[in-house]
Amino acid sequence: MSKVAVLGGGLSGRLMAFQLVEQGISVELFEKGERNGEQAAAYVAAAMLAPSAEAVEATPEVIRLGKQSIALWRAIVGRLNTPVMMQENGSLIVWHTQDKPLSAEFARHLKRGGVAEHETIHWNADEIAANEPQLAGRFSDGLYLPTEGQLDGRQVLNALADALESMNVACHWSCEREVEDLAAQYDWVIDCRGYGAKAVWNRPSESVLRGVRGEVARVYAPEIELSRPVRLLHPRYPLYIAPKENHIFVIGATQIESESQAPASVRSGLELLSALYAVHPAFGEANLLELATGLRPTLNHHNPEIRFNRERRLIEVNGLFRHGFMISPAVTGAAVRLAGALFAGSDIPEYDETSGLPYIRTAN
């Protein structure tokens, strides 16, 4: 039996380790951050499963992976002993009357992105009021995307840690390691460090790994009830609102080409919270719990990659960008299938038949 070290205990690393152990493979996990995942990009994320809405900007490959992953998440959550909120109520796209031209542009982008007609439903004001009563009278129409959903990302990170520990996986939290540190002790190393692997990924590589900064707010708004994520189309401040349990809402909008890990600026905070207030004024009374930043590991083509090197006994998984929760089950599932073939000494196909992801052999 192969003995495997998974390097990086964020979302991808935890999912990878969990699935490998389910296959009967001996695994140890190494993560430089804490057990709660606070240093991982996933800790900040809204954890929306929104392949239709993301079709406006994401690549066709990412949309395909996102659609596959919703059912995979349902199965994974069902195998976890620790409760995780998974909601499949779709998502709602709204806009103010003066911004209606943005809705036509958004619909065109959805069509170009391959979103089927049954995946978008127009709601008028009455339908919005019936399905989201607290938005009654605030928007004249909207687009409902019924196939989408969301998770509580922090619950997922905790539940995966619980599962690994219950499966007797040695999880080395607050333990920073490099591939070279582990190579002599394990049969294979699987590097899932995301942005933390930038130096080794880019040495050399055709695909360049960089960090893209995101800024996300968390608020407690006991007066607000939403049944699904809501996205506001706005020419300057587009944003999403993801309702979690106990009146916690995760709000995000920004995508900045910067690798700065400084705290959020006053200006970006004002823009984010002003757009939130424009959705419903009761958000003005909410408690601001966090205004956090994170770097999303991004490749120049905006698709994830799975690379392997037989000689070094190394598998690398990276480039999930801002779509970590949306696509991670499909990506890590493909990586697990690659690992199984490598451990067995089998020939490796050019791509994973289930996900469509290519397997990239590296020479160094």
Side-chain angles (χ1 to χ4, degrees), residues 27-108:
V27 177
E28 291 194 34
L29 180 74
F30 295 84
E31 163 57 31
K32 72 175 183 179
E34 301 293 332
R35 185 187 189 277
N36 67 0
E38 190 170 350
Q39 289 187 295
Y43 189 80
V44 178
M48 293 188 299
L49 310 178
S52 295
E54 289 298 315
V56 172
E57 294 183 353
T59 68
E61 293 81 3
V62 165
I63 301 312
R64 183 181 66 247
L65 294 168
K67 290 181 177 180
Q68 293 173 14
S69 291
I70 293 177
L72 295 173
W73 267 124
R74 197 181 304 127
I76 290 167
V77 167
R79 301 198 302 272
L80 297 172
N81 292 326
T82 306
V84 169
M85 184 207 83
M86 182 175 182
Q87 185 187 79
E88 294 184 77
N89 293 344
S91 58
L92 176 61
I93 317 299
V94 295
W95 51 87
H96 295 296
T97 303
Q98 67 270 23
D99 298 322
K100 189 172 179 61
L102 295 176
S103 68
E105 181 183 2
F106 186 85
R108 286 194 296 270

Side-chain angles (χ1 to χ4, degrees), residues 44 80 84 87 128 136 223 258 261 290 297 335 356 361:
V44 178
L80 297 172
V84 169
Q87 185 187 79
I128 292 174
E223 297 180 15
S258 168
Q261 300 189 59
E290 293 178 24
R361 179 163 187 156

